[in-house]
Amino acid sequence: MPGEHEAIENLLAESRTFPPPPAFAAEAVVSDPAIYDEATADLEGFWAKEATDFHWYREWDRVLNWEPPFAQWYLGATTNITYNCLDRHIEAGGGDKVAYHWVGEPGDERTITYAELHEDVCRAANVLERMGVGTGDRVAIYMPMIPEIVVAMLACARIGAPHTVVFGGFSAEALTDRVHDCEAKVIITADGGWRRGQVSDLKTAADQAFDNSPTVDLKLVVRRTGHEIQWNDDEDIWWHEAMEAAEATCEPVEVDSEHMLYLLYTSGTTGKPKGIKHTTGGYMVGTAVTHRWVFDIRPEDVYWCAADVGWVTGHSYIVYGPLLNHTTSVMYEGTPDYPDKDRWWDIIERHRVSILYCAPTAIRMFMKWGDAYPARHDMSSLRLLGSVGEPINPEAWMWYREHIGGDRCPIVDTWWQTETGTILLSPLPGITTTKPGSATFPLPGVAADVVDDAGNSVPLGHGGYLVLRKPWPAMLRGLYRDDERYRETYWTRFPGVYFAGDGAKRDEDGYFWLLGRVDDVMNVSGHRISTTEVESALVEHPAVAEAAVVGRNDPVTGQAVAAFVVLRAGVDGTQEMHGELRAHVAGLIGPFAKPKSIVFTPDLPKTRSGKIMRRLLRDISEDRQLGDITTLANADIMEAIAEQAAVSPED
Ligand code: WTA
């Protein structure tokens, strides 16, 4: 593991502890530690009890069927998740409660109640049906952070059509791949969204995906920015026109607990993204329960998860979890520095936000911008802070606590993955004494462990690989149409045990500390990108003969993409070529995957069997003493690469 020893040593030095403030603990949603033993003693009974709050058309016959690596939860039950997100609350008299305070980047705002959201979802579900979408058909969603993205997802779920949301930062190529792979029938998109004062063009990419995907019949287009777009009457439908013409009611389709709710593509260790499959019943119970426990959700909270809906954090903790809990959320369209670097703090002050959930990258960026921005605002409404997506370093944790949380808010550092569907490791804020930088303990019912190469639990105080020994309700049900890769990726390293791909350590008190990925997946600003994906993008450029990519430590984004490129004969490694290759990667994957540095080199370090030694490239990128080079076939190349790296520009 890169930097593992250093990381472990730093973490060992961390001795500060923060017990829950007594007033917080006294009122907390979960305040009795007996919940842990209860869940362990009878896992199925525990999850059966948690599921009773929901509306099921038909009750389950069995809570769990576990035939490793395939789990089924709430077997035989039927439900509709949107009924549980919307109708259930409205029938109980909660239709006027605000579901979202939405803030547009240019300053426009919308307030949407549960009743209004319900009506929009019904209309959109009717629109989709009119467009020929039926239960089981896939719908691709490629949209900015506007309320319609939530409506679109729920409209799909209303009729049992699995959605595939593709993050708006992905390129046309990446969108096409995903649309293609899931054979979507419709693409829902927009004329753009606002980001840092500019319009992000989504429609052109959606057009390209449409042209290259024979399964897609139509595009449904939300008007957000009003700027000029290509229009084709045969394939494009305006959202607002179709919504106006649609009926305002739509009976939810009763689906099986194991009916596919959505696919979400994520990077693995090969160039081809994996379609993570989530189903209905277990995901519903899991997201609602973890959201309530971890964020200590009460009726009067104003909760803000600042992720993008295009990632799993948005799926579980902007859309499904909060709506299932009848929570009022804030949702924000744009960037944190528009019009100024205090945009978030202004939103918190104006909407009296009580819970904030965001990524360490954002926190480190705010630290860099300086204490003065949050200090300008009254953030006394905050009572709880959350972190997700990457390891949070103790320094950022302490800054978050002091400058955002006013030294009074507990912090929940939540570890989970697209695959896990819900948070699995996290403090419970009314119970757990936290340590800066630690995700603390597995949630009730979660059988997490840290094991060595042979799969044995490591003693306290030691590091190894994070694994999960028992199924949980929101776990992935597989990879879309690829059971083989599912087994191979998660279940063969340690047979019968889920391998998360993360390094972790447990300290003497049993606390879990996450140490980053142990595979070829980078984590840049909380975005998962595989090194192979970026390498394949680079070698697709005609000037490139060979490329190797590593993730190197970065003080703000956690990791940064560092590329080492061998150009074809006759091509010069100029500054222009540097820019061209970055733009090329942005075009194939998305701007967030652009290499921060590109080192042009005559060769790459290889073993005698021809394997690229990325470890050495990482050493160079991070200015470290080179590790063992005795197995290199071309040891002399290292000096040349190091020299080149020293003079290469960075973006
Ligand atoms: C990393 C995001 C340390 C980890 C929800 C994991 C974290 C990957 C944390 C999943 C955390 C997520 N501490 N690392 N609190 N949360 N990670 O699928 O490497 O986008 O495997 O899901 O992010 O990223 P994904």
Side-chain angles (χ1 to χ4, degrees):
M1 247 173 271
E4 182 195 352
H5 295 296
E6 202 182 321
I8 291 181
E9 268 154 39
N10 290 343
L11 294 174
L12 278 178
E14 184 53 67
S15 59
R16 291 167 287 201
T17 54
F18 296 90
F24 191 106
E27 302 263 299
V29 168
V30 190
S31 55
D32 184 356
I35 190 171
Y36 290 97
D37 289 340
E38 215 181 286
T40 312
D42 177 11
L43 191 69
E44 292 184 31
F46 179 80
W47 284 113
K49 199 174 86 202
E50 293 296 339
T52 52
D53 290 349
F54 300 89
H55 172 267
W56 305 89
Y57 297 101
R58 186 181 185 283
E59 281 253 337
W60 52 91
D61 305 316
R62 268 175 79 187
V63 176
L64 170 66
N65 182 32
W66 177 226
E67 285 168 26
F70 294 98
Q72 293 174 300
W73 284 86
Y74 306 113
L75 271 83
T78 61
T79 188
N80 184 289
I81 198 168
T82 73
Y83 186 94
N84 283 286
C85 287
L86 304 169
D87 307 58
R88 185 170 55 119
H89 306 312
I90 295 167
E91 282 164 19
D96 291 336
K97 185 168 181 180
V98 173
Y100 295 100
H101 290 291
W102 177 80
V103 181
E105 196 191 70
D108 49 339
E109 300 205 359
R110 282 165 61 187
T111 302
I112 300 148
T113 64
Y114 275 82
E116 288 164 345
L117 185 60
H118 178 262
E119 182 178 328
D120 278 354
V121 168
C122 286
R123 285 182 191 275
N126 289 327
V127 169
L128 290 175
E129 281 190 331
R130 281 282 303 268
M131 292 170 77
V133 178
T135 303
D137 289 337
R138 275 82 56 215
V139 173
I141 297 178
Y142 184 61
M143 292 170 80
M145 281 285 286
I146 53 178
E148 287 82 355
I149 190 169
V150 181
V151 175
M153 289 163 74
L154 296 176
C156 291
R158 189 99 179 153
I159 59 174
H163 51 74
T164 298
V165 181
V166 180
F167 170 56
F170 275 114
S171 67
E173 301 277 340
L175 173 66
T176 307
D177 282 351
R178 288 157 176 76
V179 167
H180 216 87
D181 192 75
C182 74
E183 300 180 311
K185 197 153 186 185
V186 161
I187 301 176
I188 310 180
T189 186
D191 64 351
W194 291 104
R195 282 195 72 75
R196 205 165 284 124
Q198 306 286 319
V199 171
S200 61
D201 177 20
L202 299 166
K203 179 64 166 52
T204 311
D207 290 344
Q208 195 173 318
F210 178 91
D211 291 341
N212 293 302
S213 309
T215 57
V216 184
D217 298 330
L218 292 163
K219 285 163 283 172
L220 184 59
V221 187
V222 177
R223 182 183 275 157
R224 163 64 185 137
T225 60
H227 82 295
E228 188 93 13
I229 50 170
Q230 280 283 344
W231 193 260
N232 185 336
D233 276 330
D234 297 335
E235 54 195 62
D236 293 329
I237 295 173
W238 277 119
W239 170 280
H240 57 275
E241 289 177 1
M243 289 286 277
E244 211 183 286
E247 287 279 330
T249 55
C250 172
E251 275 304 303
V253 171
E254 179 177 342
V255 298
D256 191 89
S257 175
E258 284 299 333
H259 183 72
M260 178 158 67
L261 176 63
Y262 68 80
L263 283 173
L264 188 58
Y265 285 85
T266 189
S267 291
T269 50
T270 72
K272 187 177 172 327
K274 304 178 283 197
I276 307 292
K277 179 173 148 188
H278 283 292
T279 59
T280 305
Y283 182 81
M284 172 170 81
V285 176
T287 50
V289 166
T290 54
H291 180 251
R292 200 176 68 234
W293 288 346
V294 171
F295 299 108
D296 190 53
I297 295 296
R298 302 196 209 134
E300 65 279 12
D301 274 314
V302 179
Y303 158 90
W304 182 15
C305 168
D308 193 287
V309 173
W311 306 110
V312 75
T313 306
H315 283 56
S316 298
Y317 298 111
I318 296 178
V319 182
Y320 291 109
L323 292 176
L324 287 163
N325 288 327
H326 199 209
T327 306
T328 295
S329 289
V330 161
M331 181 173 169
Y332 172 55
E333 177 184 30
T335 60
D337 54 351
Y338 190 88
D340 205 349
K341 297 189 173 70
D342 64 344
R343 185 65 188 268
W344 279 26
W345 321 130
D346 175 65
I347 292 174
I348 288 176
E349 180 172 16
R350 277 186 312 103
H351 288 284
R352 307 298 297 156
V353 171
S354 56
I355 302 164
L356 175 68
Y357 188 34
C358 67
T361 289
I363 299 164
R364 290 188 294 260
M365 191 175 60
F366 295 133
M367 280 173 79
K368 204 168 91 177
W369 290 345
D371 310 347
Y373 291 102
R376 275 187 209 160
H377 297 273
D378 171 10
M379 297 198 281
S380 57
S381 55
L382 285 172
R383 64 180 194 90
L384 180 64
L385 303 174
S387 168
V388 60
E390 322 148 56
I392 180 165
N393 46 313
E395 194 194 352
W397 196 101
M398 289 303 295
W399 186 90
Y400 194 29
R401 180 180 157 90
E402 184 182 340
H403 294 277
I404 308 305
D407 268 333
R408 96 192 148 264
C409 304
I411 296 180
V412 285
D413 171 14
T414 63
W415 177 89
W416 58 297
Q417 308 179 300
T418 306
E419 291 86 342
T420 69
T422 50
I423 296 168
L424 294 187
L425 262 57
S426 168
L428 288 175
I431 296 182
T432 314
T433 292
T434 54
K435 297 187 183 186
S438 167
T440 70
F441 302 106
L443 289 179
V446 174
D449 196 4
V450 178
V451 300
D452 61 19
D453 276 312
N456 301 316
S457 301
V458 299
L460 294 186
H462 290 265
Y465 306 101
L466 182 66
V467 297
L468 300 161
R469 296 192 179 279
K470 288 203 176 121
W472 61 99
M475 69 187 282
L476 75 166
R477 298 303 196 262
L479 298 181
Y480 189 55
R481 293 182 180 162
D482 201 345
D483 287 350
E484 199 37 53
R485 191 174 177 198
Y486 172 59
R487 283 179 203 279
E488 159 85 31
T489 309
Y490 306 102
W491 302 94
T492 50
R493 176 89 181 238
F494 306 111
V497 175
Y498 177 86
F499 172 64
D502 278 341
K505 169 191 177 279
R506 296 188 72 188
D507 69 15
E508 300 294 346
D509 302 323
Y511 282 67
F512 285 71
W513 300 79
L514 276 304
L515 302 172
R517 301 288 308 188
V518 293
D519 53 14
D520 289 331
V521 176
M522 298 174 284
N523 190 330
V524 180
S525 303
H527 299 165
R528 269 167 76 170
I529 308 167
S530 86
T531 53
T532 331
E533 232 174 332
V534 180
E535 286 169 3
S536 341
L538 284 167
V539 297
E540 269 186 45
H541 190 282
V544 175
E546 223 182 340
V549 166
V550 297
R552 69 168 147 97
N553 289 332
D554 184 278
V556 176
T557 57
Q559 284 192 307
V561 180
F564 295 80
V565 168
V566 181
L567 292 168
R568 286 189 190 282
V571 184
D572 287 334
T574 58
Q575 186 62 33
E576 286 73 47
M577 180 52 66
H578 188 265
E580 196 175 316
L581 291 182
R582 279 171 43 85
H584 176 76
V585 173
L588 286 182
I589 305 172
F592 58 90
K594 281 195 285 205
K596 183 158 182 182
S597 58
I598 300 180
V599 174
F600 295 113
T601 160
D603 203 356
L604 295 169
K606 286 184 191 146
T607 60
R608 279 172 197 93
S609 58
K611 198 167 166 316
I612 297 173
M613 291 197 67
R614 290 190 179 70
R615 174 170 61 74
L616 296 175
L617 296 174
R618 224 177 276 127
D619 288 343
I620 287 190
S621 302
E622 294 175 354
D623 276 335
R624 258 196 314 272
Q625 190 77 31
L626 285 189
D628 182 13
I629 59 166
T630 51
T631 54
L632 276 188
N634 52 352
D636 44 328
I637 194 66
M638 292 315 296
E639 204 170 315
I641 298 178
E643 270 169 28
Q644 249 335 100
V647 298
S648 292
E650 260 193 25
D651 294 277

